[in-house]
Amino acid sequence: MKKFTSFVFLCSLAQAIYVHAQNWSEKTNGTITVVTNKGGQTLGYSAASGVKIITVDGFAFKDLNKNGKLDKYEDWRLSADERAKDLASQLSVEQIAGLMLYSRHQPIPNPPGGFFAGTYNGKPFPESGAKASDLTDQQKEFLTKDNLRHVLVTSLQSPEVAAIWNNNVQALCEGIGFGIPANNSSDPRHGTIANAEFNAGAGGTISMWPGSLGLAATFDPSIVKNFGHIAAIEYRALGITTALSPQVDMASEPRWNRVSGTFGEDPKLAADMARAYIDGFQTSYSDKEIANGWGYNSVNAMVKHWPGGGTGEGGRDAHYGFGKYAVYPGNNFAQHFIPFTDGAFKLEGKTGMASAVMPYYTISYNQDTKNHENVANNYNSYIISDLLRKKYHYDGVVCTDWLVTGDETAIDVFITGKSWGVEKLSIAERHYKVLMAGVDQFGGNNDAAPVIAAYNMGVKEHSEKFMRARFEESAVRLLKNIFRTGLFENPYLDPETSKKIVGNAAFMKAGYDAQLKSMVLLKNKNNILPLQKNKTVYVPKKFTPAGRNFLGMETPEKLDYPVNMNIVKKYFNVTDNPDEADYALVFISSPNSGNGYSSADAKAGGNGYLPISLQYDEYTATDAREHSMAGGDRLENFTDRSYKNKSVRAINITDLAMVTDTYTKMKGKPVIVSVNMSNPMVFSEFEKDANAILVNFGVQDQAILDILTGNAEPSGLLPLQMPADMHTVEKQNEDVSHDMQCYKDSEGNMYDFGYGLSWKGVIKDTRTEKYKSK
């Protein structure tokens, strides 16, 4: 009896100790249960996934693979590296192949037609009766059949819809196989809506910031770091854990149509901005940090485009076959690495370096000094393995740009395969070559079949052991980015919380303040600025000709005010009669002469190649190269891409007339010109007709008016040189920065890199001292 009593006592004691040691509690809201570990990580799981909680050492863990025990990869107490290695070793070839996929663009909800169309139970969204947050048939298929776990999200109907869609995706993924969460991503989504009004204390759909050139124009990395921090918080509230940014290409070629997405032409400025941007995105603080700076406010930054994509010959872009060649007439290939090696890979924060890298589409012509291959960067083992991996010790994820393994269908179409230099290989062979070059992931590919075929090619050429190790190497890199952001513990969102976070008043104000600091005042004759409020202004309408957008879709012509007139009326009286006006406000965009190729020219017997002009009026390329440096495409029967002596004029040539005609109509009264700048431009065409010139790189109309009327003082500096004429543009080297003769205006000011005016005159401060001193 004594022994029995002792046994009962011991059992009761053990039970009491167990209950006392259970350091977690849970709360269910709808289908999502949140588990709080005292002194540990918070977990979230969906009732739909079938996942259960297991207790070890008093802590709760998710039994993601449903085997009734705690695997290393399920143990949040271990490092991301240890967990990733454990999980990678357990995955099948098919599951790793799925990790290597990166989806095509996914609008939420999917539209009923066009490039990004999807279906819901076999029907287009408007006819389906589905919710905007439901998964498309195609999304269900690539998540389940192809094991895809990296989804590129584009438009989102609202933060609430984004949160619910994310929860639906994560619940589906959590219930499959090893329960690997989806790592959703986004291209930059914090640009401005120009005609939106800013009200202090009011929120919006998402905080709005100047474009990348505008951030660069602040010459202040702290602003960029703050942007990254805020944007990351908003991304996480939308279910986004990877940013397909920043774009840190040195904008050494002023005609390139992606200059606006860069931090300008200076390698040091671009490196500093890249470092700040990535530190802001990747670093979590305080209770949001899990380990080594990573945590629940962290967003993986995929820096692009290695080894620099801003040197396309003649300014042409490699999204198209006519722009596939990057050239280096100044032998300046290595300088284009600096924004990566001195910026993205040398962070001040604890995360150390950008977690992912995207190479560009370009063939870096004649730069492969080892294998002497002229193939696109994604395929080039010298550029990826020898330089990026070995020389610069980069061991993060490398993901191809989108559609690089597809077949080219036309030389001048945006949505087509971009397998530059390897067109003769099969799709499976292209995947294999990319893998052997040292790349981990395939952008824009929802289909695992060619990745698995590439694996089998490797087994045949090397061995099963070799290819298994190669696949696991990539799997570990990819999984670490999911572990470090806490997705394995809790990938779920509260839609109401997301609604409160995204575009909150404080974030909107921070973005607006950055817009004000991003604008560059180039000219202020007789200190005409700031303007007196409540005076009468004349604003000419802007004509936009019919054309095509970057996807090739037709856009109609229109004649309308280029600014929100309701906002203008809050600052000034408005008239349509220049004779009644005290000032004229002219809103224009920098010249756009097209992309350097004309199918009409090709059909008429020419080679199709045209100059890209940075002026509005007609330009004839008498100074162009007699013969192109590079050329050749399977759809062309020639290799010389010269455009010498051909002519173009800007599609928006009427913008020039807006200035010159207004100058005439105003009869000597002040003309103020606001330029929305995407590329450097030739100011000599109209500068003399303007009393003041204010440049922006994508801001709200209201921010422009706040500068013009003195509510804020201009402080931005040019992140690019402004050419004196097209002669200097044609003679500069595509790969060399700061090599143009700059425009000198009627006030004697040179529009050089780092130039800008405040109300007091030419800005000379610590920023100009740091970045302009050579």
Side-chain angles (χ1 to χ4, degrees):
M1 186 68 179
K2 198 171 185 180
K3 288 183 178 179
F4 178 76
T5 303
S6 299
F7 176 76
V8 171
F9 172 78
L10 290 171
C11 288
S12 299
L13 180 62
Q15 185 178 13
I17 292 171
Y18 175 78
V19 171
H20 178 73
Q22 180 172 307
N23 295 316
W24 58 272
S25 60
E26 64 181 14
K27 182 178 180 180
T28 300
N29 184 10
T31 61
I32 307 300
T33 297
V34 175
V35 179
T36 303
N37 278 299
K38 186 177 180 181
Q41 298 302 321
T42 297
L43 314 179
Y45 66 97
S46 169
S49 71
V51 163
K52 305 295 183 184
I53 293 296
I54 55 178
T55 302
V56 176
D57 299 331
F59 292 110
F61 302 87
K62 290 160 70 173
D63 185 16
L64 291 166
N65 60 4
K66 306 179 181 70
N67 66 355
K69 66 177 185 178
L70 181 64
D71 290 73
K72 284 185 176 181
Y73 87 91
E74 297 166 335
D75 190 343
W76 44 258
R77 298 170 298 183
L78 301 178
S79 69
D81 188 61
E82 188 173 358
R83 297 174 73 185
K85 288 177 180 176
D86 174 66
L87 180 52
S89 69
Q90 299 185 54
L91 297 178
S92 68
V93 169
E94 291 75 17
Q95 288 166 326
I96 294 177
L99 277 178
M100 291 177 167
L101 304 178
Y102 224 123
S103 83
R104 296 193 177 189
H105 299 67
Q106 301 295 314
I108 311 301
N110 272 197
F115 294 111
F116 309 127
T119 57
Y120 296 78
N121 295 319
K123 297 180 180 179
F125 178 71
E127 303 170 17
S128 67
K131 298 176 182 177
S133 55
D134 287 347
L135 274 60
T136 66
D137 302 328
Q138 294 75 21
Q139 289 163 1
K140 292 175 183 176
E141 181 176 5
F142 64 57
L143 290 170
T144 55
K145 174 178 172 288
D146 294 291
N147 299 298
L148 184 148
R149 290 297 179 272
H150 293 79
V151 183
L152 174 55
V153 176
T154 57
S155 60
L156 296 167
Q157 189 178 90
S158 70
E160 302 99 302
V161 166
I164 299 169
W165 178 85
N166 168 80
N167 291 352
N168 291 336
V169 169
Q170 301 296 2
L172 177 61
C173 294
E174 190 174 66
I176 303 170
F178 290 89
I180 300 173
N183 182 353
N184 302 321
S185 68
S186 174
D187 279 308
R189 59 191 318 115
H190 281 82
T192 59
I193 301 171
N195 62 4
E197 184 173 1
F198 172 74
N199 291 307
T205 54
I206 196 167
S207 63
M208 293 189 285
W209 298 72
S212 293
L213 272 181
L215 289 173
T218 69
F219 278 58
D220 187 349
S222 69
I223 292 175
V224 178
K225 185 176 181 180
N226 189 44
F227 159 70
H229 178 64
I230 288 173
I233 293 172
E234 292 185 307
Y235 272 26
R236 291 304 299 260
L238 296 170
I240 295 166
T241 43
T242 293
L244 302 186
S245 57
Q247 183 191 335
V248 303
D249 311 88
M250 254 174 60
S252 56
E253 169 46 62
R255 296 165 290 186
W256 186 35
N257 68 7
R258 298 194 71 177
V259 165
S260 62
T262 73
F263 292 128
E265 67 180 293
D266 186 75
K268 179 174 175 54
L269 179 63
D272 288 349
M273 294 300 184
R275 186 185 309 108
Y277 187 108
I278 298 166
D279 269 332
F281 264 92
Q282 291 190 168
T283 307
S284 290
Y285 300 95
S286 188
D287 62 330
K288 296 296 183 180
E289 182 180 1
I290 297 172
N292 302 316
W294 291 100
Y296 295 106
N297 278 348
S298 297
V299 171
N300 295 290
M302 185 179 291
V303 62
K304 55 190 185 184
H305 304 86
W306 178 262
T311 67
E313 184 165 17
R316 298 184 296 273
D317 180 62
H319 276 90
Y320 306 90
F322 60 71
K324 66 171 70 172
Y325 295 103
V327 296
Y328 300 87
N331 296 316
N332 204 35
F333 184 49
Q335 192 179 49
H336 289 259
F337 307 165
I338 290 175
F340 298 90
T341 59
D342 291 6
F345 302 162
K346 288 184 180 178
L347 304 182
E348 293 178 352
K350 292 192 285 185
T351 63
M353 62 173 59
S355 66
V357 169
M358 182 188 294
Y360 203 41
Y361 297 113
T362 46
I363 295 172
S364 296
Y365 193 67
N366 287 346
Q367 299 307 305
D368 180 351
T369 58
K370 182 179 180 181
N371 305 308
H372 305 288
E373 275 194 305
N374 277 316
V375 295
N377 298 315
N378 300 277
Y379 294 95
N380 194 303
S381 63
Y382 171 73
I383 286 172
I384 304 300
S385 183
D386 291 288
L387 289 180
L388 181 61
R389 295 286 193 202
K390 295 175 183 176
K391 183 173 181 178
Y392 295 110
H393 309 292
Y394 184 76
D395 194 37
V397 169
V398 178
C399 176
T400 73
D401 213 327
W402 263 233
L403 302 180
V404 302
T405 57
D407 289 325
E408 180 188 19
T409 57
I411 198 167
D412 60 345
V413 172
F414 185 86
I415 301 293
T416 187
K418 308 170 198 306
S419 50
W420 311 143
V422 295
E423 293 90 343
K424 293 181 180 179
L425 298 182
S426 69
I427 290 178
E429 288 170 336
R430 292 171 195 162
H431 281 76
Y432 180 55
K433 187 170 178 63
V434 166
L435 284 171
M436 292 301 100
V439 175
D440 304 298
Q441 199 167 28
F442 302 92
N445 182 6
N446 299 353
D447 183 8
V451 185
I452 296 169
Y455 178 87
N456 293 328
M457 290 177 185
V459 170
K460 186 175 181 180
E461 180 176 351
H462 298 283
S463 67
E464 183 87 40
K465 181 180 179 181
F466 175 90
M467 281 309 292
R468 178 71 204 187
R470 175 66 192 86
F471 259 44
E472 284 193 29
E473 180 181 42
S474 287
V476 169
R477 292 173 181 145
L478 292 160
L479 288 167
K480 281 167 68 175
N481 289 352
I482 305 177
F483 279 114
R484 293 189 294 204
T485 50
L487 289 176
F488 273 89
E489 278 58 70
N490 186 14
Y492 297 101
L493 301 170
D494 174 25
E496 284 302 312
T497 301
S498 294
K499 181 180 179 180
K500 292 175 183 176
I501 290 174
V502 180
N504 69 59
F507 291 176
M508 296 297 290
K509 184 179 186 306
Y512 190 78
D513 288 346
Q515 292 178 48
L516 294 173
K517 293 177 180 177
S518 73
M519 284 178 275
V520 183
L521 182 61
L522 297 182
K523 184 179 181 181
N524 191 18
K525 186 176 181 180
N526 297 326
N527 294 318
I528 186 64
L529 300 181
L531 301 176
Q532 186 176 339
K533 295 178 184 177
N534 299 318
K535 290 286 190 175
T536 301
V537 298
Y538 166 67
V539 180
K541 290 184 176 181
K542 179 186 177 84
F543 174 73
T544 304
R548 293 180 182 275
N549 64 17
F550 74 102
L551 291 174
M553 300 170 68
E554 291 185 357
T555 55
E557 71 173 46
K558 65 178 182 178
L559 177 65
D560 202 357
Y561 287 109
V563 62
N564 185 332
M565 294 303 289
N566 289 326
I567 295 178
V568 174
K569 289 174 183 177
K570 292 186 177 184
Y571 294 79
F572 302 105
N573 299 314
V574 176
T575 180
D576 288 331
N577 183 357
D579 290 335
E580 298 174 353
D582 298 301
Y583 320 115
L585 305 181
V586 185
F587 295 84
I588 63 175
S589 298
S590 52
N592 172 17
S593 69
N595 55 26
Y597 186 86
S598 167
S599 56
D601 180 83
K603 289 175 182 176
N607 66 359
Y609 291 86
L610 300 176
I612 297 174
S613 177
L614 301 182
Q615 67 182 43
Y616 294 105
D617 215 344
E618 185 169 285
Y619 163 66
T620 301
T622 55
D623 296 316
R625 294 186 181 108
E626 193 74 38
H627 302 286
S628 64
M629 292 186 67
D633 188 272
R634 71 182 188 87
L635 301 180
E636 294 177 333
N637 58 6
F638 58 87
T639 58
D640 190 353
R641 296 180 164 192
S642 176
Y643 51 82
K644 187 176 177 64
N645 294 323
K646 290 185 176 180
S647 300
V648 292
R649 68 176 187 174
I651 298 165
N652 60 333
I653 190 172
T654 51
D655 281 23
L656 176 61
M658 287 172 68
V659 180
T660 56
D661 290 353
T662 300
Y663 172 77
T664 300
K665 291 175 181 177
M666 290 297 290
K667 302 173 184 176
K669 289 182 290 185
V671 175
I672 316 302
V673 178
S674 171
V675 183
N676 184 348
M677 182 177 286
S678 299
N679 289 81
M681 57 188 287
V682 177
F683 277 94
S684 61
E685 292 181 292
F686 69 86
E687 176 267 321
K688 66 181 183 301
D689 294 339
N691 296 80
I693 301 173
L694 180 68
V695 167
N696 76 83
F697 305 95
V699 299
Q700 292 168 256
D701 296 339
Q702 184 174 344
I704 298 170
L705 293 165
D706 274 342
I707 293 286
L708 294 181
T709 58
N711 286 348
E713 184 171 5
S715 61
L717 304 169
L718 285 176
L720 303 158
Q721 291 185 320
M722 297 298 118
D725 50 38
M726 280 304 298
H727 171 81
T728 190
V729 172
E730 209 69 73
K731 290 300 182 182
Q732 58 87 37
N733 291 319
E734 286 93 335
D735 59 326
V736 178
S737 295
H738 308 304
D739 65 340
M740 291 194 295
Q741 178 186 348
C742 297
Y743 178 69
K744 189 174 184 178
D745 72 8
S746 57
E747 302 297 294
N749 291 318
M750 191 79 71
Y751 293 0
D752 202 350
F753 171 82
Y755 164 74
L757 297 172
S758 68
W759 301 144
K760 301 178 185 68
V762 177
I763 297 172
K764 294 181 181 179
D765 55 20
T766 56
R767 299 173 301 160
T768 57
E769 183 179 347
K770 179 177 181 179
Y771 292 105
K772 288 199 70 174
S773 57
K774 301 294 180 184

